[in-house]
Amino acid sequence: MARVYNFSAGPSVLPESVLAKAAAEMLDYEGSGQSVMEMSHRSKVYQGIIDECEALLREVMNIPDNYKVLFLQGGASSQFAMVPMNLMTGSGKADYVLTGQWATKAQKEAARYGEANIVASSKDKTFSYIPKLDPSTFTKDADYFHICMNNTIYGTVYHELPDTGDVPLVADISSCILSEPIDVSKFGMLYAGAQKNMAPAGLTIVIIREDLIGNAMDITPTMFNYQIHAENGSMFNTPPCYTIYMAKLVLEWVKNEIGGLEKMYARNKAKADLLYNFLDNSKMFKGTVVPEDRSLMNVPFVTGNEELDAKFVKEATAAGFVNLKGHRSVGGMRASIYNAMPIEGVEKLVAFMKEFEANNG
Ligand SMILES: *Cc1c(COP(=O)(O)O)cnc(C)c1O
């Protein structure tokens, strides 16, 4: 059976070797006589899996010891509420930068629990850039400052972090986690839905500085309290066992087959450069993002003609390049080229685009 090149924004492509390993271990995980799907989360063998997953994440991302790693559920979307419920408890204020739909949803949710100030927005130009930030406009006594690091729908990324001084920086890294090295110590908290770059859907990763845990609002549901999950090793209730196992396999792939995040970054940069160089030189296709804020993970582009866009998506799909239709708010196309997209996938896509341009130009 031929596998397609899957450019889906999420859930998205996983490394083939990871899928093969999961398949090989499906009926009998390491001599346990069971699938990981079937085993008790309280068993010794499962404890080994979750411990190894955390240890690998800590090693690969170089997470300092004073940060907790939590394996949660509810998606990045639940974090839009959990962040304010747990952190907006000093001054009751927080700053938000609106760089797309996810950032906007996060701000709207936070506004239900306190003062969620909008310090900047790029809505005026369909979120095609990251706004320039002026620290003198930041709320001095904010409980945290929230950004969406990589904007999955619009294809922008922060290349420089805002200088928030002592105010903890909180970032949604759903669509860029593990794509390049990041200095965790610059953040109070990071969170990510796993289904973009890490695992199948169902797992949410939270990396939080220990001093930010333990001050949740009284109204916070038990399941929304970081302290509860931290105190129970992410096993207050049944964790998403199989997805955590898949994340472990992906982390082993990043560490052993790729060679860590520096190497991952070089690979991702090479892939993105291929596509952006083509877009910059094409007479038919154009990237929609200002060059200085371009994402390495999500690459939106258009022809400027909706019929031609639709024709391209249709012919690309038939040729085995799937899920290239852009988000309805941007239109056109979007190629999500996450960690697991092989370089050949991007090379072949570019060759296909060249041919389409020659035939339709
Ligand atoms: C996909 C995505 C979300 C939503 O994630 P869910 O896990 O579906 O809640 C939030 N933020 C960003 C940046 C995303 O890419």
Side-chain angles (χ1 to χ4, degrees):
M1 181 211 52
R3 277 176 57 81
V4 294
Y5 289 111
N6 178 9
F7 295 91
S8 169
S12 34
V13 56
L14 286 163
E16 221 169 281
S17 62
V18 165
L19 296 173
K21 178 134 201 238
E25 291 181 335
M26 181 59 75
L27 294 182
D28 176 13
Y29 177 75
E30 291 190 355
S32 66
Q34 309 158 57
S35 166
V36 176
M37 287 189 199
E38 303 170 296
M39 58 182 59
S40 164
H41 61 294
R42 306 283 177 204
S43 64
K44 219 168 135 189
V45 57
Y46 189 75
Q47 190 65 50
I49 292 172
I50 194 170
D51 287 349
E52 181 63 13
C53 187
E54 176 172 346
L56 280 164
L57 186 67
R58 286 186 174 278
E59 182 184 347
V60 167
M61 286 186 71
N62 198 16
I63 300 172
D65 289 343
N66 62 325
Y67 286 73
K68 288 274 191 240
V69 171
L70 308 177
F71 297 118
L72 307 179
Q73 303 186 59
S77 300
S78 290
Q79 294 309 310
F80 300 165
M82 280 178 85
V83 167
M85 283 182 153
N86 284 270
L87 268 50
M88 220 189 216
T89 54
S91 65
K93 296 182 232 171
D95 283 347
Y96 279 77
V97 183
L98 304 192
T99 50
Q101 285 194 11
W102 299 120
T104 304
K105 282 186 176 161
Q107 186 274 335
K108 280 214 173 95
E109 190 72 11
R112 305 178 65 199
Y113 303 102
E115 198 180 309
N117 300 308
I118 299 166
V119 295
S121 167
S122 50
K123 190 166 185 231
D124 59 337
K125 291 183 180 158
T126 326
F127 300 115
S128 57
Y129 68 102
I130 300 287
K132 295 277 166 287
L133 298 173
D134 172 5
S136 75
T137 63
F138 299 175
T139 307
K140 297 285 167 291
D141 61 343
D143 290 325
Y144 62 89
F145 190 106
H146 182 279
I147 60 170
C148 180
M149 187 97 126
N150 184 79
N151 295 280
T152 323
I153 295 173
Y154 302 94
T156 61
V157 70
Y158 284 80
H159 289 295
E160 206 182 310
L161 294 176
D163 179 7
T164 63
D166 291 337
V167 174
L169 184 59
V170 173
D172 177 352
I173 56 167
S174 293
S175 51
C176 59
I177 189 167
L178 303 179
S179 65
E180 59 183 286
I182 66 171
D183 183 351
V184 174
S185 72
K186 293 216 159 79
F187 298 85
M189 184 188 146
L190 295 161
Y191 66 90
Q195 71 273 21
K196 311 287 164 66
N197 222 2
M198 224 184 150
L203 169 65
T204 311
I205 302 283
V206 166
I207 301 165
I208 179 168
R209 219 173 61 207
E210 280 168 355
D211 62 285
L212 297 173
I213 299 175
N215 304 304
M217 296 176 182
D218 287 340
I219 58 159
T220 306
T222 307
M223 278 293 289
F224 267 35
N225 191 326
Y226 295 132
Q227 187 174 15
I228 294 289
H229 295 288
E231 285 174 356
N232 289 279
S234 299
M235 293 233 208
F236 173 72
N237 71 326
T238 317
C241 301
Y242 195 76
T243 310
I244 291 170
Y245 158 76
M246 288 297 291
K248 177 184 95 88
L249 296 186
V250 168
L251 285 160
E252 285 168 352
W253 173 79
V254 171
K255 183 185 160 186
N256 302 326
E257 283 184 57
I258 301 296
L261 291 189
E262 288 290 353
K263 295 252 171 66
M264 195 82 246
Y265 170 69
R267 227 177 87 120
N268 287 331
K269 178 89 170 62
K271 283 189 290 178
D273 282 351
L274 255 178
L275 193 45
Y276 286 124
N277 285 339
F278 170 71
L279 291 172
D280 288 344
N281 290 299
S282 165
K283 292 200 170 61
M284 177 180 283
F285 297 103
K286 265 179 210 50
T288 58
V289 167
V290 300
E292 61 271 26
D293 297 328
R294 284 169 166 175
S295 165
L296 291 185
M297 295 283 102
N298 311 97
V299 183
F301 55 94
V302 295
T303 64
N305 172 336
E306 277 181 39
E307 270 169 44
L308 201 56
D309 287 348
K311 183 166 193 264
F312 174 78
V313 170
K314 194 168 166 222
E315 291 182 14
T317 306
F321 306 99
V322 306
N323 290 313
L324 280 167
K325 192 173 171 7
H327 190 273
R328 58 193 178 281
S329 64
V330 181
M333 283 70 69
R334 171 177 47 169
S336 293
I337 48 175
Y338 293 120
N339 284 354
M341 173 58 64
I343 187 128
E344 307 85 69
V346 180
E347 284 166 356
K348 287 183 181 164
L349 174 66
V350 167
F352 180 83
M353 289 168 78
K354 274 189 187 144
E355 196 187 313
F356 184 89
E357 182 166 346
N359 293 340
N360 296 274

